[in-house]
Amino acid sequence: MGKIQFIWSGETELPAGWALQTHSHDFFHLAYVQKGRLIFRADDVDYPLSDGSLILIPPGVVHAVPKDTHNLCTQYEVMFRVPDPQLQSLLETKEVLILHGAAHLEHLFSYIRMHYNSVDPLCAPCTESFLCTILFSLLTGSPGSEGSYAGYVDSSRYSPLVQRILCHVEKDCSGKYDLPGLALSLGLHKSYLCTVFRRETGITISEYINYHRIRAILITLQYNGYNREVPIHELADQHGYVNASYFNRVFKKYTGITPTEFMTALSKGSDNPFQKYYNEYLDLKRYPIKESLEYMRGLKDVSEKSVLSNNGAAE
């Protein structure tokens, strides 16, 4: 038995105003949009698709294409089961998968459509290999493939969706915060993203973006040797803070001290408590978000202790 059991494949056209009624099935449903725009609704979440988009609906997931959510749309579809245990284990741990910008895979869908039920001994391994190529492209190139583990926090206790958000933020958080853009890139509604993220982490997505930016600045300061020729506000600008007063407020909110107090504490030398705590915190150790925030805010306490220690030594 091969890795893939094909059920059906074809090229379909969805006229504007036509609806795919709500249903589910016990096999995988893979769709590739050749031309047009539409929305797949799966488990009450909307996934906008356009030219070159892929979507994989796992078995048991209730899905539909609501009426009036698309124009004239043509797509390739493949329905299949996965008897191979190894491939099955990869796919069963995933939610709905989305991949945009997959036009380079279109010729594979065309081949599968024409040959998926061929009895030619040369065609069968080709169609199976081409579908596996598409599936692995989904697994490695979809938003969900950005990794289960964020670089700055321990995300193992969070849901796959929150892990995807964390990894997406880490990928690029230096530009303007764009929640609609984040939602679009993940194929989900922004309200749903915000609700799930806050419920699991206790903070908003924008708060996490600020935490991530501040930590990135602290890491840059650590590894550039605290170069005084690169002012902290210049680093802030590079990480998305174009307004200095706003950056000062955010920095103090997350660390408990101002940028000036922070740089002063760093200048005390490598043996002071602040420097040791700072290096330990930035030693790429990862904690869940709540603990990570508490650790960052601990910079205030150790800064005050460092000042008291230095005052005592001066006396």
Side-chain angles (χ1 to χ4, degrees):
M1 181 179 291
K3 294 183 178 182
I4 304 292
Q5 178 189 348
F6 289 96
I7 298 173
W8 178 83
S9 180
E11 184 177 10
T12 57
E13 183 176 276
L14 282 66
W18 180 88
L20 175 65
Q21 299 300 317
T22 301
H23 69 289
S24 65
H25 31 63
D26 64 352
F27 49 80
F28 288 94
H29 181 185
L30 178 66
Y32 168 80
V33 179
Q34 292 175 276
K35 185 177 181 180
R37 295 178 179 273
L38 77 158
I39 289 179
F40 256 88
R41 182 168 295 161
D43 284 345
D44 296 323
V45 178
D46 286 346
Y47 297 89
L49 305 177
S50 57
D51 297 13
S53 295
L54 282 178
I55 185 169
L56 179 66
I57 308 293
V61 172
V62 177
H63 59 283
V65 175
K67 185 178 180 181
D68 299 328
T69 61
H70 58 280
N71 54 15
L72 177 64
C73 182
T74 56
Q75 61 177 2
Y76 286 122
E77 295 182 272
V78 185
M79 300 177 183
F80 62 95
R81 292 187 175 90
V82 182
D84 179 71
Q86 185 175 5
L87 181 56
Q88 189 178 65
S89 66
L90 288 174
L91 295 172
E92 283 184 344
T93 60
K94 299 292 182 180
E95 302 173 333
V96 172
L97 290 180
I98 299 286
L99 180 61
H100 300 293
H104 60 289
L105 299 174
E106 183 171 332
H107 66 288
L108 301 184
F109 280 96
S110 178
Y111 186 93
I112 292 170
R113 177 183 67 84
M114 292 186 292
H115 300 288
Y116 79 94
N117 59 353
S118 173
V119 295
D120 187 325
L122 295 178
C123 286
C126 286
T127 52
E128 183 174 280
S129 176
F130 287 166
L131 182 54
C132 284
T133 298
I134 294 170
L135 294 176
F136 283 119
S137 295
L138 268 168
L139 289 168
T140 59
S142 66
S145 72
E146 292 174 272
S148 298
Y149 301 100
Y152 287 173
V153 298
D154 177 5
S155 60
S156 60
R157 66 175 63 177
Y158 303 126
S159 68
L161 175 56
V162 170
Q163 292 174 358
R164 288 163 63 186
I165 295 171
L166 293 173
C167 293
H168 186 94
V169 168
E170 289 195 0
K171 189 175 182 181
D172 181 18
C173 72
S174 60
K176 182 180 179 181
Y177 172 51
D178 180 18
L179 180 57
L182 172 62
L184 180 63
S185 67
L186 294 178
L188 298 169
H189 193 279
K190 62 181 182 180
S191 296
Y192 179 73
L193 289 184
C194 294
T195 299
V196 173
F197 191 87
R198 185 158 195 168
R199 182 177 64 230
E200 293 191 30
T201 67
I203 65 173
T204 66
I205 296 175
S206 61
E207 287 173 328
Y208 181 73
I209 288 175
N210 276 319
Y211 164 80
H212 185 278
R213 286 175 172 173
I214 296 300
R215 173 144 188 183
I217 290 170
L218 297 182
I219 289 176
T220 302
L221 286 169
Q222 182 190 37
Y223 288 104
N224 75 356
Y226 321 122
N227 187 351
R228 295 301 186 271
E229 295 180 1
V230 183
I232 190 171
H233 287 88
E234 184 176 320
L235 292 177
D237 183 73
Q238 295 171 7
H239 287 82
Y241 295 108
V242 296
N243 184 290
S245 61
Y246 175 67
F247 166 66
N248 288 340
R249 292 196 302 273
V250 172
F251 191 93
K252 186 168 184 178
K253 175 182 177 181
Y254 286 86
T255 67
I257 55 179
T258 67
T260 300
E261 291 170 335
F262 174 82
M263 296 304 291
T264 299
L266 280 185
S267 67
K268 300 298 182 181
S270 59
D271 293 331
N272 74 82
F274 181 86
Q275 185 79 68
K276 292 179 180 179
Y277 183 94
Y278 174 64
N279 288 338
E280 179 183 332
Y281 169 64
L282 295 180
D283 192 24
L284 298 184
K285 294 181 179 179
R286 299 185 303 119
Y287 305 92
I289 289 177
K290 182 178 179 181
E291 289 85 343
S292 295
L293 287 169
E294 291 175 352
Y295 217 114
M296 181 179 281
R297 291 178 183 130
L299 288 168
K300 176 183 178 180
D301 294 334
V302 75
S303 174
E304 292 173 347
K305 291 177 182 178
S306 179
V307 170
L308 291 175
S309 176
N310 288 335
N311 289 341
E315 293 176 359

